[in-house]
Amino acid sequence: MSKPLSDHDKKKQISVRGLAGVENVADLKTNFNRHLHFTLVKDRNVATKRDYYFALANTVRDHLVGRWIRTQQSYYEKDPKRVYYLSLEFYMGRTLQNTMVNLALENACDEAMYQLGLDMEELQEMEEDAGLGNGGLGRLAACFLDSMASLGLASYGYGIRYEFGIFNQKIANGWQVEEADDWLRYGNPWEKARPEYMRPVQFYGRTEHHPDGIKWVDTQVVLALPYDTPVPGYRNNIVNTMRLWSAKAPCDFNLKDFNVGGYIQAVLDRNLAENISRVLYPNDNFFEGKELRLKQEYFVVAATLQDIIRRFKTSKFGSRETVRTDFSTLPEKVAIQLNDTHPALAIPELMRVLVDEEKLPWEKAWDICVKTCAYTNHTVLPEALERWPIDLFHTLLPRHLEIIYEINRRHLERIASLYPGDVDRLRRMSMIEEGSQKRVNMAHLCIVGSHAVNGVARIHSDILKATVFKDFYEMDPHKFQNKTNGITPRRWLVMCNPGLAEVIAERIGEDFIRDLDQLQKLRNFVNDEAFIRDVAKVKQENKLKFAVHLEEHYKVKINPNSMFDVQVKRIHEYKRQLLNCLHIITFYNRIKKEPNKEWTPRTIMIGGKAAPGYHTAKMIIRLITAIGEVVNNDPVVDDRLKVIFLENYRVTLAEKAIPASDLSEQISTAGTEASGTGNMKFMLNGALTIGTMDGANVEMAEEAGEDNFFIFGMRVDDVEAMDVKGYNAFEYYSRIPELKQAIDQIAGGFFSPKQPDLFKDIVNMLMHNDRFKVFADYEDYMKCQEKVSALYKKPKEWTKKVIMNIAGSGKFSSDRTIAQYAHDIWGVEPTLEKLAAPDDL
Ligand code: D6G
């Protein structure tokens, strides 16, 4: 009998991991040892696993350097239109493996480490996630950077280098506990500080109106120190830049003008200024009007615009340097994309620079501003929309408030001329909201100050036009567009699921990695027995691997033949983790009622972080862990149902969980989830979806074919009709016995015997105050779950649907999304350029 292949040997056979040429491996070993010695200053007697990770990271990084310098040089030489993606979040996750994938170095590095007696996967586990995001919006920005580099766009990501990213979630006695994410503690090998590009950013002060213009004076200055991270394209030798700003107090901070507390106190107070980039606000889809957050938003915008204008003014053609002074060409050279309203201050800041500093007339400046900026909306939830109190604005950014008033005055004038006498319309469309507290509506500012406004899935873009931005759509229909979100197939297939990438590549070649639409060709293999077997086998291997992780972590015995039913995303009422809970409880009750029936076994996993201040979300986590405690310890249930709360869900855990999932739960109330991108990751990795007709689910079902999709629940129209009629939770509760039983159990302490009223707030909300109408979809959801269970009993039928889903997932590549932004909004074309490989070392 031949020896089974080791993990290492199995990986070697996978071609998508790049070639492991002999010279390549020898060089990598030499350079690894060189870095261990000269960079880490260690030898193998004392080196830790982390030292080995850093040595490998530096070895891989060396391969980026020449490509990075060359790419940036070519941007100065060719002077193409540049795209600036401004975002308060870039949820990058880990970088080492992604770099190896994009540079085709993975197999060679694996071999080099193997020959040195090291396990590359173990070293990879030493890397911290760059968790500079909350969820979908931040991860989208990260996927977009990969696609922009892979398509050869001259583009940049601009954001904040938070010292602390999204908190680490611990579960203690069933409750979420937050821990600070000190991700930079051991250093970050992927960033390069650029103190030579430091920029001043002003705050507070007042304005002075002089005959020759307006001055913003008596300000406090904080310095913005940029850190550059390389963003490699997929095997095209292009390396773009993500530039993240860190706050630094100037040397004379608090010493120049107010030397009150003396020197020591002034030095201690530098912290106050530097707090600006200290920590990411951990809210997803929720606006918290804190001064420090407004400071962060202005900080990134002011520093970035200075960089954009410097680059616009100076372009080097070969050895010649030209200085541009004519700003009317700015929109031909610069596109600024606003990732939600968070960087909306780019609009008044650009106006301030053009009018106050560059002395352009207002009309001219405004025309340039609108042509340069574009705005992406990510949500219709009212609690997520940014509405800053005027007082705060006035104190922190007095000049910007004046500019916004002027923008608004002209905006209202235009409305008044288009709709004479329509006073209510003026009120609805104003950027300034009256009321007990006056506020600036940032979405209105963004729409007016941009030439394009887009939603992130077809249904969401339609809802924007029909409801929240209806008035604006009526006035300027040409601005409104849709750009359905996408995910990068490099990280979310090749990197996290090499087994699946390989069985696909064996059938249709490797071109799908750059051109995901080619997955359509897999429809030809839907009846191919060998392909069905291969797809099912990869899934089973991924499940077994994840089961080992789960058993180690949660001390629960996992049945690897059970359906892995997964809902991972931020915890939020609108995402309806509670509906999932009701399914779990009902399934449990059914097993208990008929213990001898042939139930389709499930391992149900739910994971996600709750915003630290969101009480209901934290209670939802407690309910999930409480249900798990009862269900997992019930001998009658045995291995037919397990409930696991996946602790600390983040990019890295997604990369492990998604390839191992059978069923993806996408069950938000129709009309609430703008797009979703997790949904796409599951589809691409061979899970079937149970979902509502919400966000991108609608388009996913269309691409896969509705027969291959488990759709249930109210459509947007039904939800709207119910809002008119009124939603009565009690009616469902009293009519549906299994629902009543589940609610009575939660309310009566069945899952919290030591504290019977623990979940009274949740029950009250569900019964009397549920904005998201959980009960209204319960029956249909249960029926749909029964269909899922029935299909899972027929593995071949199941896998055929999986194949139809993978084959239909091509549309959801972020390469397609970015190509559309480039063509329809930015006015640039993907160059698909490949630079020649530099001589790296
Ligand atoms: C990156 C790579 C480095 C390049 C720099 C250009 O840090 O080689 O010189 O970007 O920065 P800008 O001049 O475009 O700001």
Side-chain angles (χ1 to χ4, degrees):
M1 217 170 77
S2 66
K3 227 176 103 203
L5 287 178
S6 71
D7 249 20
H8 171 73
D9 288 330
K10 251 194 247 164
K11 282 186 203 149
K12 265 204 311 203
Q13 296 189 322
I14 297 180
S15 72
V16 293
R17 290 167 48 97
L19 300 171
V22 181
E23 307 101 87
N24 230 342
V25 172
D27 281 349
L28 287 167
K29 278 161 60 181
T30 307
N31 290 317
F32 177 88
N33 286 326
R34 182 172 56 82
H35 275 299
L36 191 62
H37 187 81
F38 288 103
T39 312
L40 280 304
V41 197
K42 286 276 180 92
D43 67 21
R44 292 203 60 171
N45 295 311
V46 288
T48 63
K49 215 186 272 178
R50 182 169 288 108
D51 292 324
Y52 291 132
Y53 157 69
F54 277 116
L56 177 58
N58 278 290
T59 304
V60 170
R61 177 187 175 278
D62 288 345
H63 289 258
L64 288 167
V65 170
R67 293 172 166 92
W68 197 8
I69 291 174
R70 285 254 310 267
T71 304
Q72 299 308 311
Q73 208 174 32
S74 86
Y75 292 162
Y76 274 107
E77 282 164 10
K78 295 184 188 153
D79 195 31
K81 182 166 181 178
R82 289 166 158 103
V83 174
Y84 294 97
Y85 198 79
L86 268 61
S87 180
L88 270 279
E89 303 187 13
F90 286 93
Y91 201 168
M92 304 296 280
R94 289 178 179 159
T95 294
L96 173 59
Q97 197 188 358
N98 183 247
T99 308
M100 293 189 295
V101 164
N102 282 13
L103 267 48
L105 282 173
E106 206 181 7
N107 247 337
C109 287
D110 199 11
E111 184 61 32
M113 293 304 102
Y114 184 72
Q115 290 182 15
L116 291 169
L118 297 167
D119 177 354
M120 192 168 76
E121 242 180 82
E122 261 181 52
L123 305 191
Q124 284 170 185
E125 288 300 317
M126 300 310 297
E127 182 171 357
E128 298 276 343
D129 273 38
L132 309 187
N134 277 288
L137 173 148
R139 183 54 232 175
L140 183 76
C143 283
F144 280 4
L145 294 185
D146 182 86
S147 285
M148 291 191 287
S150 296
L151 292 173
L153 297 182
S155 55
Y156 303 78
Y158 270 93
I160 294 177
R161 179 180 178 269
Y162 300 108
E163 194 178 324
F164 295 90
I166 187 67
F167 63 85
N168 282 310
Q169 178 192 58
K170 289 271 151 62
I171 300 296
N173 304 317
W175 296 96
Q176 166 174 302
V177 178
E178 299 89 20
E179 281 183 3
D181 167 45
D182 196 0
W183 71 295
L184 295 167
R185 178 179 298 177
Y186 297 101
N188 173 5
W190 306 107
E191 66 181 10
K192 178 76 189 85
R194 292 282 182 214
E196 68 274 27
Y197 289 145
M198 202 133 65
R199 309 272 163 232
V201 176
Q202 312 182 78
F203 294 100
Y204 304 107
R206 59 193 172 79
T207 60
E208 278 179 357
H209 292 237
H210 299 278
D212 60 334
I214 295 163
K215 290 203 174 78
W216 182 16
V217 297
D218 293 344
T219 54
Q220 287 182 27
V221 173
V222 177
L223 299 175
L225 165 62
Y227 285 76
D228 288 356
T229 299
V231 180
Y234 182 71
R235 299 184 190 182
N236 62 0
N237 299 319
I238 285 174
V239 180
N240 285 338
T241 302
M242 173 176 72
R243 182 164 284 179
L244 303 181
W245 302 100
S246 178
K248 277 294 271 178
C251 295
D252 60 3
F253 186 77
N254 264 6
L255 282 166
K256 216 173 34 187
D257 305 319
F258 334 82
N259 194 2
V260 270
Y263 165 71
I264 294 291
Q265 195 55 48
V267 174
L268 295 180
D269 285 350
R270 293 169 62 85
N271 267 330
L272 267 36
E274 294 174 0
N275 276 341
I276 291 178
S277 56
R278 195 76 68 204
V279 58
L280 167 78
Y281 274 89
N283 300 318
D284 187 74
N285 276 300
F286 186 77
F287 169 63
E288 195 183 337
K290 287 282 193 294
E291 184 183 48
L292 183 60
R293 168 70 179 196
L294 187 57
K295 275 189 184 167
Q296 291 182 338
E297 295 187 353
Y298 181 61
F299 177 71
V300 58
V301 156
T304 302
L305 276 174
Q306 291 179 63
D307 233 16
I308 293 175
I309 287 168
R310 175 197 34 101
R311 252 186 233 114
F312 169 74
K313 283 187 171 173
T314 318
S315 56
K316 291 180 196 154
F317 299 103
S319 56
R320 249 174 357 109
E321 201 169 294
T322 55
V323 179
R324 267 200 204 95
T325 46
D326 178 9
F327 277 91
S328 57
T329 60
L330 190 82
E332 289 156 39
K333 289 293 168 191
V334 172
I336 296 176
Q337 190 66 36
L338 307 176
N339 195 21
D340 212 313
T341 58
H342 313 152
L345 287 165
I347 292 165
E349 173 67 0
L350 183 54
M351 288 301 287
R352 189 188 67 80
V353 171
L354 294 179
V355 174
D356 295 356
E357 292 181 358
E358 303 291 344
K359 307 290 178 200
L360 266 66
W362 181 280
E363 292 76 12
K364 177 117 202 110
W366 182 246
D367 181 57
I368 293 167
C369 180
V370 173
K371 283 183 177 149
T372 304
C373 296
Y375 156 56
T376 305
N377 172 280
H378 287 269
T379 179
V380 296
L381 291 184
E383 63 268 40
L385 301 179
E386 288 194 294
R387 294 150 66 246
W388 287 103
I390 294 275
D391 301 346
L392 192 55
F393 231 108
H394 179 73
T395 311
L396 192 66
L397 301 166
R399 178 60 187 138
H400 296 80
L401 185 59
E402 285 179 2
I403 291 171
I404 291 170
Y405 273 124
E406 180 59 17
I407 296 172
N408 194 42
R409 189 185 65 75
R410 291 164 183 257
H411 165 60
L412 295 180
E413 223 170 65
R414 180 167 168 240
I415 301 167
S417 73
L418 289 171
Y419 307 92
D422 194 344
V423 182
D424 199 54
R425 188 179 294 262
L426 288 174
R427 183 193 54 75
R428 292 197 307 267
M429 295 181 76
S430 176
M431 281 162 220
I432 310 295
E433 292 180 1
E434 306 290 336
S436 60
Q437 197 181 32
K438 269 193 172 186
R439 289 165 179 271
V440 184
N441 183 316
M442 304 304 269
H444 291 186
L445 172 64
C446 283
I447 299 171
V448 176
S450 300
H451 68 282
V453 178
N454 73 282
V456 289
R458 193 209 297 143
I459 189 174
H460 166 62
S461 297
D462 289 343
I463 290 171
L464 290 181
K465 292 192 281 189
T467 61
V468 267
F469 300 152
K470 183 171 187 283
D471 294 323
F472 293 89
Y473 174 62
E474 265 172 37
M475 186 163 83
D476 292 312
H478 60 276
K479 284 192 183 182
F480 287 78
Q481 303 194 20
N482 173 242
K483 296 288 167 279
T484 299
N485 281 168
I487 56 171
T488 168
R490 272 72 66 180
R491 181 176 293 262
W492 296 111
L493 180 56
V494 180
M495 187 185 121
C496 73
N497 200 346
L500 182 58
E502 186 62 19
V503 302
I504 294 170
E506 278 168 16
R507 270 54 180 206
I508 64 171
E510 286 187 24
D511 287 352
F512 71 93
I513 300 169
R514 286 173 218 280
D515 175 13
L516 205 64
D517 278 328
Q518 295 204 18
L519 289 178
Q520 288 181 28
K521 294 181 189 163
L522 293 177
R523 294 196 183 119
N524 300 328
F525 293 88
V526 71
N527 293 312
D528 180 323
E529 299 287 338
F531 187 59
I532 296 171
R533 216 180 320 115
D534 285 355
V535 170
K537 185 164 161 253
V538 169
K539 180 63 72 182
Q540 200 54 32
E541 285 170 0
N542 293 341
K543 287 174 69 173
L544 285 169
K545 191 169 174 191
F546 193 54
V548 171
H549 169 91
L550 291 174
E551 291 188 356
E552 268 171 21
H553 214 89
Y554 300 98
K555 316 285 175 232
V556 184
K557 186 95 196 78
I558 303 292
N559 172 2
N561 298 316
S562 64
M563 181 201 307
F564 283 16
D565 168 345
V566 180
Q567 185 178 24
V568 282
K569 49 183 77 249
R570 288 296 290 251
I571 308 295
H572 210 299
E573 285 160 86
Y574 85 82
K575 293 175 188 284
R576 296 201 297 192
Q577 281 90 1
L578 286 172
L579 183 57
N580 194 343
C581 288
L582 291 177
H583 168 248
I584 298 172
I585 297 170
T586 306
F587 184 35
Y588 171 75
N589 289 335
R590 286 181 184 178
I591 298 175
K592 295 285 279 185
K593 203 168 159 197
E594 292 181 85
N596 297 320
K597 204 171 146 178
E598 285 246 339
W599 299 102
T600 304
R602 292 196 192 214
T603 302
I604 303 183
M605 299 172 235
I606 304 179
K609 292 173 184 176
Y614 187 178
H615 173 250
T616 306
K618 289 188 149 177
M619 286 311 299
I620 292 171
I621 291 176
R622 185 65 194 98
L623 176 62
I624 298 163
T625 57
I627 295 169
E629 281 157 33
V630 170
V631 169
N632 298 348
N633 295 307
D634 190 325
V636 175
V637 171
D638 197 25
D639 68 354
R640 294 179 292 183
L641 175 59
K642 290 282 180 252
V643 178
I644 297 178
F645 186 83
L646 294 176
E647 194 179 349
N648 205 23
Y649 178 66
R650 62 200 185 286
V651 174
T652 300
L653 186 53
E655 289 161 8
K656 299 183 206 304
I658 293 172
S661 298
D662 294 304
L663 184 66
S664 158
E665 301 269 353
Q666 307 298 336
I667 58 179
S668 51
T669 314
T672 64
E673 189 76 274
S675 165
T677 47
N679 46 1
M680 301 168 185
K681 293 166 196 165
F682 282 98
M683 183 185 189
L684 180 60
N685 281 278
L688 298 187
T689 303
I690 182 164
T692 47
M693 276 298 195
D694 199 20
N697 296 353
V698 177
E699 292 158 76
M700 285 163 48
E702 188 172 291
E703 297 296 312
E706 291 201 3
D707 292 349
N708 304 307
F709 224 80
F710 293 100
I711 300 166
F712 74 95
M714 296 181 287
R715 310 305 198 248
V716 170
D717 290 349
D718 303 320
V719 175
E720 280 169 3
M722 188 170 284
D723 280 330
V724 174
K725 204 181 95 200
Y727 163 66
N728 181 357
F730 188 79
E731 186 237 309
Y732 300 94
Y733 168 84
S734 53
R735 182 169 58 74
I736 308 164
E738 285 186 305
L739 173 60
K740 180 171 187 303
Q741 183 188 4
I743 294 298
D744 290 350
Q745 285 170 321
I746 299 172
F750 184 85
F751 299 105
S752 54
K754 288 189 194 137
Q755 214 181 320
D757 64 352
L758 183 60
F759 300 115
K760 69 169 189 309
D761 289 352
I762 285 192
V763 171
N764 259 323
M765 183 274 288
L766 287 171
M767 294 291 293
H768 305 294
N769 189 24
D770 179 6
R771 292 168 62 201
F772 303 105
K773 307 178 176 67
V774 171
F775 293 1
D777 277 341
Y778 169 83
E779 266 184 310
D780 204 22
Y781 181 54
M782 287 303 304
K783 277 194 208 127
C784 198
Q785 289 285 23
E786 286 164 27
K787 286 189 210 152
V788 172
S789 287
L791 185 71
Y792 196 74
K793 287 206 171 97
K794 303 180 209 155
K796 206 161 132 185
E797 296 306 306
W798 180 278
T799 304
K800 282 185 180 186
K801 289 193 195 290
V802 164
I803 292 170
M804 290 306 287
N805 272 268
I806 298 170
S809 63
K811 176 174 175 185
F812 307 103
S813 168
S814 47
D815 296 345
R816 185 269 313 149
T817 315
I818 287 299
Q820 292 177 336
Y821 274 95
H823 184 268
D824 304 343
I825 298 179
W826 303 330
V828 297
E829 291 299 326
T831 59
L832 279 177
E833 188 176 13
K834 268 193 198 175
L835 294 181
D839 299 329
D840 273 310
L841 292 161

